[in-house]
Amino acid sequence: MTEANRIQNNPERSDWWAIYTRHQHEKTIAESLSGNGFEVFLPLYQTVRQWKDRKKHLALPLFPCYVFLRCQAERRAHILSTPGVHSIVMAGGYPAAIPDDDIEAIRRAVNSALKVEPHPFLRRGDWVRIRSGPLANIEGILIRRKGSYRLILSAEVLQKSLAVEVDALSVEPLARRPEAPRFSTTQARSGLGEHLTWS
């Protein structure tokens, strides 16, 4: 069944979508959409920035210029009319649905006490499952960096990843994850911002 048929056959279907936003307006847009009854998720990470005279602790978006929300297709116009929203991330002409498991994995990572940070997008690596701890049963790519191990969680639709520190003894290897559909990013000239199309 195509995405078009799924939407037509179930107009009340509620999927997670990614919204492409104006730079540094992610928090304002998330608050606005939440105030209008949308279920919104804006994953943040903690970082320290050094100014000349002081250090400042900041909470910044893990995926700059993106906000996740759960929505029904009939509310697209309401989303696009929100100030600061450029577009909904699309695939094949329809909003690109993000798997609930991907959202839940990201949510558990940012809500844990573990260090989380942005990471360049990864598609290949050792695929593992966390056996214990706050991320138990979450799957991702394992890498080693500066003597520690990090689990890479990727948002395929956005072509972006995050890294969370893990104990190497808490992971177990898995068979390689099936290759996800590849997306390519193009700039739409309609004034609605960034869209994704199949490559």
Side-chain angles (χ1 to χ4, degrees):
M1 180 181 290
T2 66
E3 187 68 16
N5 288 335
R6 288 197 311 120
I7 291 173
Q8 290 172 358
N9 292 340
N10 189 2
E12 296 185 2
R13 175 187 173 86
S14 184
D15 287 320
W16 281 103
W17 296 349
I19 308 304
Y20 182 56
T21 73
R22 184 177 175 187
H23 181 57
Q24 295 183 343
H25 283 66
E26 300 92 344
K27 293 180 184 178
T28 301
I29 292 167
E31 290 172 1
S32 177
L33 290 169
S34 180
N36 282 307
F38 290 98
E39 182 180 354
V40 178
F41 177 42
L42 176 60
L44 304 173
Y45 73 103
Q46 305 296 317
T47 188
V48 177
R49 295 293 167 87
Q50 178 71 58
W51 272 260
K52 289 183 178 179
D53 59 340
R54 62 193 171 95
K55 291 182 179 180
K56 187 171 183 179
H57 293 264
L58 300 173
L60 300 178
L62 267 169
F63 306 114
C65 296
Y66 292 97
V67 172
F68 299 108
L69 64 79
R70 190 189 291 275
C71 185
Q72 296 172 357
E74 63 189 26
R75 300 195 69 187
R76 283 201 316 198
H78 192 108
I79 296 167
L80 293 171
S81 66
T82 302
V85 170
H86 289 306
S87 67
I88 299 169
V89 176
M90 309 289 279
Y94 294 90
I98 300 172
D100 288 355
D101 288 348
D102 289 0
I103 295 293
E104 179 61 19
I106 296 169
R107 193 190 300 276
R108 286 177 61 187
V110 298
N111 287 341
S112 73
L114 303 171
K115 181 180 179 182
V116 179
E117 61 188 8
H119 192 279
F121 181 68
L122 283 184
R123 191 182 292 277
R124 292 178 176 81
D126 294 328
W127 197 256
V128 300
R129 177 188 292 123
I130 303 296
R131 293 183 299 189
S132 60
L135 304 183
N137 297 318
I138 287 180
E139 299 177 8
I141 299 169
L142 185 69
I143 65 166
R144 184 171 183 172
R145 178 181 171 191
K146 297 181 180 178
S148 65
Y149 288 88
R150 286 172 169 77
L151 183 74
I152 308 300
L153 303 176
S154 294
E156 293 278 348
V157 167
L158 304 184
Q159 301 283 281
K160 293 182 180 291
S161 299
L162 65 88
V164 55
E165 287 188 356
V166 296
D167 180 352
L169 298 178
S170 72
V171 305
E172 59 183 357
L174 297 173
R176 188 169 300 278
R177 188 185 200 188
E179 191 71 18
R182 293 180 178 270
F183 294 93
S184 63
T185 304
T186 59
Q187 287 295 329
R189 299 185 178 277
S190 63
L192 297 181
E194 184 179 41
H195 294 260
L196 297 179
T197 57
W198 298 106
S199 61

